[in-house]
Amino acid sequence: MAEITARTTDKLRYLVDQLDEIRQKGLATTIRTLESPQGAWLRIEGREVLNFCSNNYLGFANDPELIAAAKAAMDAYGVGPGAVRTIAGTMAPHIALEERLAAFKGVEATISFQSGFNANLATIPTLVGEGDAVVTDALNHASIIDGCRLTKATRYIYQHCDMDSLDEKLAEAARKAPRAILVITDGVFSMDGDIAPLDRIAAVAERYGAITMVDDAHGEGVLGHGGRGAVDHFGLSGVFDIEVGTMSKAFGVMGGYTAAKRPIVDWLRQRARPFLFSSALSVPDTAACLAAVDILARSTDRVDRLWDNARYFQGEMRRLGFDLGHTQTPITPVMLGDEQLAQATSRRLFAAGVFGTAIAFPTVPLGKARIRVMISAAHSRADLDFGLETFASVGRELGIIGA
Ligand SMILES: *Cc1c(COP(=O)(O)O)cnc(C)c1O
């Protein structure tokens, strides 16, 4: 046994060395185990801590209405979809979710996937291929980057939210007379909280006849009327061709979808590989997503509370002297720069009862480490005040803000 272990270690030496190196540099993440549901507070290692980390923007992850919907669907349909959707895995709740989502988003059709990550892997390489062009923002999410890697289309990367750069890359792409050009951007950039200028992107893309796509993972349930997303926020319904969304953030569950004009969704149903070769979203997940959409369609209360909370927290943090970068959304990056400082801050916050994970390379560039605070509608004013007091005392202790 010892001999086997020794051999294995030797063979894996290159991995062990790399792990040691990132641990020494403070670039290894510590993953905490939660002993409670997602909510404003979490139980971790037997202690109650304020949750400043989850993407559960609207508090849906542990909502009684979603839980009841999941249980009822399990009673009616069981748990598993049984197969890929094209063979025997499409159930009534999958179709209901797609129809209800399309109505909520005001689009012709939607198609659901197992995750937002998969929605990008399904959508990008299915829409463009050899002889086409894909033009993508330099700071787009990893799942967009991977979706682009899976296509044989020529890739052009424009500088982050820079419309001159976008125009330049589109002109470069157009010179090769591609069959199709696809422009892709995040709606909200998840590490900084800035919003892509979809109105200007649509206008530039229009001059080249390019198809426009936004991955609105952090805009769904947050931006636009009652959380209808970034396209609604800019009043671009029917103009932006494709919206990719996730059900794992504001919707509080799991899953992803693409909302678009009918021919796009029809084509994805015929050819998208994660749709054809990976089983459908589970039944309880699907039913819970449906309940979340119904609550949002009914009332803007939760989205309004989320924004009230975000404005209050960010205003107070800036008053304390913290640098929050250029966020325009409830995503609140507390910019620290140094990776070790970010790790130390996270540890001190945790000891004082606030769960705020340090985010460093490769999720953000080297030297741009931060604590990313995620504000939720589930936080009360007292919760936010506790978070503010804790940030203030840790910030002073570590010399991040003045005494
Ligand atoms: C989180 C995120 C995803 C992935 O969504 P999952 O449903 O968690 O797979 C995709 N794109 C963006 C921009 C994201 O922020």
Side-chain angles (χ1 to χ4, degrees), residues 192-347:
D192 292 286
D194 53 329
I195 302 173
L198 297 190
D199 49 349
R200 288 154 61 213
I201 291 172
V204 178
E206 175 70 22
R207 294 208 292 274
Y208 297 89
I211 302 165
T212 44
M213 165 172 160
V214 56
D215 174 352
D216 207 19
H218 283 277
E220 300 293 356
V222 177
L223 293 176
H225 174 66
R228 282 163 179 77
V231 167
D232 183 83
H233 169 82
F234 284 101
L236 292 172
S237 285
V239 175
F240 238 77
D241 296 302
I242 304 163
E243 295 172 67
V244 162
T246 174
M247 313 295 293
S248 71
K249 292 181 176 136
F251 290 91
V253 194
M254 188 75 214
Y257 64 90
T258 297
K261 295 183 172 118
R262 175 78 60 189
I264 292 173
V265 171
D266 286 348
W267 181 241
L268 294 177
R269 272 186 209 283
Q270 296 299 326
R271 287 288 182 271
R273 292 167 71 84
F275 186 75
L276 298 179
F277 298 105
S278 183
S279 294
L281 201 58
S282 83
V283 170
D285 284 330
T286 307
C289 290
L290 195 48
V293 175
D294 286 348
I295 295 172
L296 284 181
R298 214 160 60 210
S299 153
T300 65
D301 285 358
R302 290 194 194 229
V303 180
D304 296 343
R305 205 173 334 131
L306 167 68
W307 281 93
D308 282 349
N309 280 351
R311 282 189 200 100
Y312 173 71
F313 185 81
Q314 291 178 356
E316 292 301 303
M317 283 290 279
R318 287 204 163 100
R319 224 169 42 79
L320 285 167
F322 285 102
D323 173 8
L324 305 184
H326 44 271
T327 182
Q328 299 169 276
T329 61
I331 293 172
T332 308
V334 183
M335 307 303 281
L336 298 167
D338 181 68
E339 286 76 26
Q340 310 275 11
L341 176 62
Q343 298 285 3
T345 306
S346 177
R347 278 195 301 272

Side-chain angles (χ1 to χ4, degrees), residues 115-118 120 141 143 186 190 215 217-218 246-249 255:
S115 70
F117 203 108
N118 258 6
N120 279 320
H141 188 261
S143 56
D186 272 27
S190 56
D215 174 352
H218 283 277
T246 174
M247 313 295 293
S248 71
K249 292 181 176 136

Side-chain angles (χ1 to χ4, degrees), residues 171-191:
E172 202 182 321
R175 278 199 288 277
K176 292 200 175 143
R179 183 184 61 160
I181 306 177
L182 176 64
V183 176
I184 313 177
T185 182
D186 272 27
V188 175
F189 290 85
S190 56
M191 291 301 141

Side-chain angles (χ1 to χ4, degrees), residues 159-180:
Q159 284 166 41
H160 178 54
C161 291
D162 180 333
M163 293 305 102
D164 291 334
S165 175
L166 172 62
D167 199 315
E168 215 172 275
K169 295 296 172 186
L170 276 165
E172 202 182 321
R175 278 199 288 277
K176 292 200 175 143
R179 183 184 61 160

